[in-house]
Amino acid sequence: MVDAAKTFSRTVGDRRDGGMEIPAASAGIVGRSDGMFRIDRPEEPLRFTGERLTSAVSGAVEMEHLHRYCLARDLCVGLDVLDVAAGEGYGAAIIAGVARSVVGVEQDADAVDHARHTYASKNLRFEVGDALHLSLADNSIDVAVSFETLEHLPDQVLFLAEVKRVLRPGGVFLVSTPDRHVHSGLGMPVNPFHVLELSRPEFEALLEGSFANVAMLAQRTLAGSVLLGAGTRLRTYERRDGVTIEATSGIARAVYLVAVASDGPLPDLAGSIYADERSVDALLSNISYEHGEAAKAKALADNLFHAEAAARSDADRLRVVLADAERASLRNDHALRQAESAACAEADRLRVELAAMSQDVDRVKADLAALRTATGVRVGLYASYMASRLPAPVRGMLRRTLGAALRSRAALRGSPAAAPAVAVPALQSATARLADRYPSLEPFPCFQEAYPRPRLSVVTDSIGPASLFGGVGTSILLGAVLANRLGATLRIVTRTEPSDASPVREVIANNGLILNGTVETAFAPLDGSRDLPVAEGEAFLTTSWWNTRATLGSVPRGRIIALVQEDERMFYPYGDDHLRCGETLSEPGIPVVVNTELLFRHLAGGRDALGNLGPDGLWFEPAFPQTATPAPRGKKRRLFFYARPHNMRNLFWRGVEALDLAVTEGLFDRDRWEMHWVGPDVPQISLPRGVVPIRTAGMPWGDYQSFIASMDAGFVLMDTPHPSYPPLDLAAAGAAVLTNTHPGKETLDCYSHNILMARPTRDGLLEGLRRLQDLAEDDATRARNRAEDSINRNWEAALEPTVARLARHLAA
């Protein structure tokens, strides 16, 4: 790769087509334009669709886009420019401030109309067009700009060819796209607008296939600090107000100077950036929240002031009444009795009013207590001061109502988390209380619809990217094969969040299956706010005991199939939850499909056996298609540690203890081994002898399979009778694997001799890790064990016997 700006300055300055030349003095940052420039803002911005940036959007996304257009502005001084996918048009307008001409191409006609109306200029025009079939003439522009467009295009090579066609010789293409590994990693939401995202190596390879020279910049918004030397080549684009940006060289208005001095040679100091862990959006949100809380504090103080004024007025009225009564008593006893009677009536009325006022003060007191907890604003001090100025009768009333709050001021100062006053909850029926306690067990409301063909619905909590490995993925595959057998539509019913069908199709395709029918999705929220349409004779495949219980309350049990992939009773201590789980798993008359024979034997035998597994139970072994190409690596061998610190069944901390002992003993030496800890939220931990594990999370399905295929050894703990997927996945790829024993799970030789077992004690796992390293370094034995293993590679073949029996059951 080369410096794209220098190459651009050289080639464009030499062209012979009559265009404007770049002066020699501008080499480096081409034709840059220092000083202030304006950002035009439309009176009515385009509606934000969730993908295209408009001037209605702020925060980190706005910063990213404006920074890129500021960079483009510096590269386009006096040149002919094309902005592909110009959107609302604000970026093309920024470039038009310095360019000779700018054409903005956008496929959305409404956006083009908006841009023409908002950003009209002699050197700027907007056209409706397709990025893959540009209407511009060959060799007609100097710079092509395309930000966040590439990932939306199905044929990216054709797009680059179109850009090359319209560029003049030596012209520059400025393009951006999200890094797939960071933007859409494992556990992150998939952008439904993106067709094909690229990793950095893929992006570089794509560009180098069309252009001789490519320079790559990395962009990230952050809140923090920057330290740069006086000679460092840098451009700063600073937002000075809502519509103005200032472009300068170096850091404008640096507040501090940091120097290094010595009589000897100075160290080579790199420019540096300190980044705050909080995102820009989080900081802006926090500032907005604090402003809102301050406004609430002022409103509460105003309410208290008005309450004081009302109390003063009532006290004045009371004094007038008492004075009138005193004067009347001097005239005669009869008048005195009348005055006393009137005074009593007035006092009764005042007591009613004061009682109502007391309730208002109680509400203010509760609001003040909550405010102290939320923001630390000491409004109570002001309340105490105002109360001291009230007349004695009203002050006594306030002392009785506010005394507890004033006495707790010191406690509030020392305990920011003090709980606000709460009202006594209203009485609820036992049925309502149970529904609040177990919302996921409540039947979902449904209605019968006329549906033209059979349908199979898979009921699960979510099918987000982080949910598709293991259990949920298996339920989708079983549902796809069963739907094919029934000639049915496959529908995914989620309970905790709405979803779309694209992740479902991805799981099916990545596992070598073809779904003959269509995929539908439906949302049946836990709060019962949406009715689920159900067809006559529709079958339901449930994926957890709580989904089974909810479905039992909504559809006939003869149409329900329960998929069990773990002894879910182990999720809970003995008590209400454990009891309800066991009762549901034992529900008679429902076919139960168990994932692995090992788990089936555990559930069907022993003192806690599920009584319905005899007549209704089925089991299958999962499949692990191995089509991935191993990820590239260096000369070191690789160890995969399945690290899930928040899932107690995976014995993360016992695994850390065992690895610490093993490395202390000299196993998995850092000169010969890389140690990869794979899972979400893995803490930073160092091991003896300078071993620092590489933490990995958020990989897409395909990358994860390539990653698995590159491993020599795996260390996977699972304190349940289920063998779990990672040991089988790793062994199917040819790695040696160590996992732990559990009652009923003493050996996994039935799958592969590459899977070693050890007792889950410190000494037991240490001895197992010694055997693991020996087997992992014996490539010939590992290859032979893999060739002789019994792990399924084909999901359709693995599920066929189970699916055949389920189809017969549903047809009966």
Side-chain angles (χ1 to χ4, degrees), residues 104-127:
V105 175
E106 168 61 44
Q107 67 175 359
D108 185 347
D110 291 338
V112 171
D113 289 342
H114 176 88
R116 288 170 177 168
H117 174 74
T118 305
Y119 303 108
S121 175
K122 290 182 179 179
N123 68 333
L124 172 61
R125 75 177 193 273
F126 293 93
E127 297 180 356

Side-chain angles (χ1 to χ4, degrees), residues 678-698:
V678 183
D681 303 322
V682 179
Q684 290 183 317
I685 297 176
S686 63
L687 298 176
R689 298 176 180 265
V691 173
V692 179
I694 302 169
R695 297 179 300 162
T696 303

Side-chain angles (χ1 to χ4, degrees), residues 522-650:
F523 183 40
L526 299 179
D527 61 5
S529 60
R530 187 177 301 184
D531 291 354
L532 181 72
V534 176
E536 183 178 359
E538 181 171 350
F540 285 80
L541 175 64
T542 60
T543 57
S544 63
W545 75 269
W546 53 89
N547 285 330
T548 302
R549 176 53 58 188
T551 307
L552 272 168
S554 302
V555 302
R557 69 179 54 227
R559 309 305 298 175
I560 299 174
I561 300 165
L563 174 61
V564 176
Q565 304 190 71
E566 188 57 273
D567 187 346
E568 294 172 298
R569 296 170 297 183
M570 293 183 175
F571 296 169
Y572 314 101
Y574 283 98
D576 277 317
D577 295 334
H578 187 279
L579 180 66
R580 282 170 172 76
C581 175
E583 289 172 344
T584 304
L585 292 175
S586 300
E587 190 75 27
I590 298 177
V592 178
V593 181
V594 181
N595 186 353
T596 75
E597 182 184 8
L598 202 64
L599 179 60
F600 181 88
R601 290 179 177 176
H602 162 80
L603 294 172
R607 182 173 58 88
D608 295 328
L610 301 180
N612 60 339
L613 284 186
D616 300 313
L618 301 167
W619 59 267
F620 66 91
E621 296 292 350
F624 299 89
Q626 291 297 314
T627 58
T629 302
R633 64 178 185 177
K635 297 180 180 179
K636 295 182 181 180
R637 293 183 181 273
R638 287 181 162 187
L639 170 67
F640 176 108
F641 174 42
Y642 193 47
R644 301 177 73 191
H646 301 308
N647 192 330
M648 296 298 100
R649 292 175 296 155
N650 289 114

Side-chain angles (χ1 to χ4, degrees), residues 131-384:
L132 299 181
H133 303 90
L134 298 172
S135 61
L136 278 68
D138 295 355
N139 304 322
S140 58
I141 62 168
D142 300 306
V143 181
V145 175
S146 176
F147 296 142
E148 309 305 289
T149 307
L150 196 64
E151 62 274 12
H152 297 266
L153 302 177
D155 194 336
Q156 297 170 344
V157 174
L158 176 58
F159 174 52
L160 295 190
E162 273 293 273
V163 171
K164 287 273 287 187
R165 180 182 65 79
V166 300
L167 276 176
R168 290 172 178 141
V172 165
F173 183 32
L174 183 60
V175 57
S176 70
T177 194
D179 186 330
R180 172 165 53 86
H181 287 161
V182 180
H183 183 267
S184 304
L186 185 65
M188 300 177 67
V190 175
N191 190 320
F193 297 95
H194 291 183
V195 175
L196 177 60
E197 292 186 358
L198 304 175
S199 64
R200 177 167 181 158
E202 292 167 340
F203 187 34
E204 290 174 345
L206 176 68
L207 292 174
E208 288 171 350
S210 297
F211 293 89
N213 300 312
V214 177
M216 192 69 61
L217 302 175
Q219 183 183 23
R220 171 192 169 194
T221 59
L222 52 84
S225 170
V226 60
L227 276 170
L228 292 177
T232 304
R233 182 169 171 267
L234 175 78
R235 291 287 282 167
T236 299
Y237 308 104
E238 181 176 353
R239 184 79 165 267
R240 300 306 303 276
D241 57 36
V243 295
T244 308
I245 292 178
E246 180 183 14
T248 57
S249 296
I251 304 177
R253 285 171 292 282
V255 179
Y256 294 97
L257 301 175
V258 180
V260 178
S262 172
D263 289 335
L266 290 176
D268 182 15
L269 293 178
S272 60
I273 292 175
Y274 168 82
D276 194 290
E277 67 174 351
R278 295 165 294 180
S279 69
V280 171
D281 286 338
L283 292 172
L284 293 176
S285 176
N286 186 59
I287 292 171
S288 176
Y289 173 78
E290 292 297 337
H291 281 306
E293 293 303 311
K296 290 179 183 177
K298 183 179 182 304
L300 286 173
D302 290 343
N303 289 341
L304 189 59
F305 176 80
H306 294 318
E308 176 211 3
R312 282 180 176 278
S313 177
D314 287 339
D316 289 341
R317 287 207 317 271
L318 181 60
R319 281 196 297 270
V320 170
V321 171
L322 292 176
D324 288 344
E326 185 177 357
R327 284 192 298 270
S329 68
L330 297 176
R331 289 194 295 269
N332 54 63
D333 292 340
H334 178 71
L336 177 62
R337 284 194 296 273
Q338 287 182 335
E340 288 175 345
S341 176
C344 289
E346 183 67 6
D348 288 340
R349 187 183 66 79
L350 287 175
R351 276 195 295 272
V352 173
E353 292 183 5
L354 290 173
M357 184 189 304
S358 176
Q359 294 178 351
D360 291 338
V361 172
D362 284 340
R363 286 194 292 271
V364 172
K365 178 185 65 176
D367 290 342
L368 289 173
L371 182 62
R372 291 190 188 98
T373 301
T375 65
V377 179
R378 304 299 186 223
V379 180
L381 296 177
Y382 179 75
S384 178

